[in-house]
Amino acid sequence: MMIELRPLARLMVESVLGESGPLPAGASEVSLDEVMLSGLQHRVRPALRRRFRAAPDAPAEWLGPLEAARRGQLIRQMQAVHDLNLMRAAFAERRLRWAVAKGPVLANTVWPHVDMREFSDLDVFVHPEDFGQALGVLERLGAVYVDRNWPEILRLGRAELALRGPSGFPIDLHWDVAVSRPARQAFRTDLPAMLARARTVELGDGLVVPTFDASDTVVHLAHHAAHSGANRLVWLADVLHASSAPEVDWRAVSQRALQAGMGITVGIVLARAERTFGVEFPLTSQLRHCATRSLSGVVAARRDRHRSFPHLPHDPAASGIEYSSARRNDLLSLLAAVDQWFGVRRTEWRVRRHGPDENPLDKAVEDPSAKAEYLELVVGEGVVPRRVIPRRG
């Protein structure tokens, strides 16, 4: 059952669904500041703009600021397409195995209209064996590193590097779906297999790029949302729209999620999408059990009953720890939640005492040996098959 929503929350949900007609009761009494803050928080301003244009009773003063937000998104869309065009040609020439996910792919292929989905970076996934070549290609195309401290990059061993593409648009270059070392220990993903299953999609103007197949897309989007706290409406809308694709094989979604140890993370996000949008996905019994009977799922459903999602800017902080701490079983989820809670408290104490932390990755430290060792780590960790730990609990 869809949970009863407040007028502004209902307005945002209708916006990401692409609905038209009069605004929901009480929505026109909300202030423009609240609309803009909520749209920014949930990254749905372009969708709100389309909803207002389709509503005969929308206050006229709302459209101006939202038109500006849409123009900003169209500029980002053009930057993304420009950089993807360059990447596609250069990667194809060297036969690199890669895929682009989220942002522009979702805007063009699953959302109701291409100008509804807000995004601010490109997520590019490269086969670990091709990762070093891909970096060289991007360097020659004019991309620059945002993460520039190679000894620190090596120490952290993150499966992601932040760059700015030839147009200046942010690019996150991945060699695994699970970014941090602890995440790769908890979730055993297989990016090479995902790339082998990849399909191609057209993003307009003849730009054809590879992306994950429909079932991998659902798993990836749901896991990403959970890892980030599942607290932005745009992520839940991504899951809803991607799950509506007729090509989704729900048995494959369940099998791949469970094999990667993501049954609970994927299940609880799908369950939140069901509650938010009033839908029911054809989940397998195993995935439904993960969604509703796991400790994380029970806590998440209880919190949604207490305070409906999407949250509004002046609501008490909603960290989404029940989502970001979800692991392959209840005990590991509980331990991860405790660790995250204490981690946040330690960070708050350190900031109060010493001020905000500097990001050591921002410091330019050129170290060719550290870079070479990192690229060896990429191949060693990203290609060698990793043991799948059976799901318990």
Side-chain angles (χ1 to χ4, degrees):
M1 292 290 292
M2 182 184 289
I3 297 172
E4 187 65 29
L5 297 177
R6 291 165 286 178
L8 180 51
R10 166 62 56 200
L11 176 62
M12 289 194 294
V13 168
E14 289 186 2
S15 297
V16 299
L17 292 175
E19 295 188 6
S20 59
L23 299 179
S28 59
E29 299 170 13
V30 177
S31 72
L32 176 60
D33 285 346
E34 289 179 283
V35 171
M36 294 301 293
L37 281 173
S38 297
L40 179 63
Q41 174 178 319
H42 289 282
R43 298 182 185 172
V44 296
R45 290 173 298 173
L48 281 168
R49 172 258 180 198
R50 177 172 280 274
R51 177 70 181 93
F52 293 154
R53 285 184 63 87
D57 55 340
E61 65 271 16
W62 284 3
L63 281 174
L66 289 166
E67 288 286 359
R70 176 179 179 267
R71 286 194 295 272
Q73 181 54 51
L74 290 176
I75 291 171
R76 292 191 291 274
Q77 177 89 1
M78 288 187 287
Q79 287 182 289
V81 168
H82 172 271
D83 288 356
L84 280 172
N85 255 315
L86 296 177
M87 263 188 279
R88 175 187 58 83
F91 286 0
E93 183 180 346
R94 290 159 183 81
R95 298 187 178 182
L96 303 187
R97 294 157 289 182
W98 68 292
V100 61
K102 295 168 52 183
V105 171
L106 299 177
N108 281 271
T109 63
V110 301
W111 277 65
H113 301 278
V114 68
D115 64 347
M116 288 176 63
R117 209 289 187 177
E118 188 169 342
F119 62 89
S120 57
D121 59 18
L122 281 175
D123 282 281
V124 177
F125 293 80
V126 178
H127 194 290
E129 291 178 341
D130 298 339
F131 193 80
Q133 291 187 70
L135 280 179
V137 168
L138 289 169
E139 289 171 0
R140 289 189 290 275
L141 290 175
V144 297
Y145 290 97
V146 175
D147 295 340
R148 301 181 294 167
N149 187 338
W150 284 104
E152 183 69 6
I153 292 169
L154 174 62
R155 185 186 71 81
L156 293 174
R158 288 167 55 82
E160 173 189 80
L161 283 179
L163 305 96
R164 289 197 177 274
S167 72
F169 196 68
I171 297 174
D172 288 335
L173 197 68
H174 301 258
W175 52 268
D176 200 313
V177 172
V179 173
S180 68
R181 277 192 173 121
R184 293 199 299 277
Q185 292 168 354
F187 305 110
R188 306 303 176 109
T189 57
D190 189 348
L191 181 59
M194 294 170 70
L195 294 175
R197 294 191 291 262
R199 56 188 167 137
T200 57
V201 293
E202 183 174 350
L203 304 188
D205 296 327
L207 173 59
V208 176
V209 296
T211 192
F212 299 140
D213 78 12
S215 303
D216 281 332
T217 293
V218 171
V219 173
H220 174 235
L221 292 174
H223 175 73
H224 169 267
H227 181 72
S228 303
N231 51 15
R232 294 189 192 273
L233 182 60
V234 67
W235 297 331
L236 274 294
D238 284 344
V239 170
L240 172 74
H241 294 314
S243 298
S244 302
E247 300 85 3
V248 175
D249 180 340
W250 285 98
R251 288 190 178 277
V253 169
S254 178
Q255 180 184 34
R256 295 171 193 177
L258 293 167
Q259 284 180 344
M262 296 176 175
I264 293 178
T265 61
V266 170
I268 60 177
V269 168
L270 289 168
R272 171 166 264 193
E274 289 180 327
R275 293 190 294 270
T276 302
F277 300 112
V279 299
E280 184 174 348
F281 301 122
L283 306 185
T284 65
S285 58
Q286 288 176 293
L287 203 54
R288 180 65 67 186
H289 185 276
C290 290
T292 59
R293 300 299 180 88
S294 65
L295 175 62
S296 302
V298 170
V299 171
R302 185 174 299 162
R303 288 198 174 184
D304 277 355
R305 287 194 297 269
H306 176 68
R307 181 177 295 111
S308 59
F309 183 83
H311 307 124
L312 301 180
H314 300 299
D315 288 344
S319 67
I321 193 172
E322 65 271 27
Y323 293 91
S324 59
S325 64
R327 296 295 183 266
R328 64 179 62 245
N329 61 49
D330 288 347
L331 177 59
L332 293 177
S333 297
L334 181 60
L335 292 173
V338 171
D339 183 64
Q340 286 186 22
W341 189 90
F342 278 107
V344 171
R345 304 288 86 77
R346 286 192 296 268
T347 299
E348 290 174 344
W349 177 86
R350 191 167 59 248
V351 169
R352 285 195 300 268
R353 188 176 180 88
H354 303 291
D357 295 337
E358 293 184 357
N359 185 352
L361 292 172
D362 293 339
K363 184 179 180 181
V365 181
E366 286 294 337
D367 186 333
S369 64
K371 181 179 181 180
E373 193 172 343
Y374 175 76
L375 294 178
E376 289 178 5
L377 177 151
V378 170
V379 176
E381 285 199 24
V383 177
V384 177
R386 290 175 289 174
R387 183 171 64 90
V388 175
I389 302 173
R391 183 177 67 89
R392 297 187 179 89

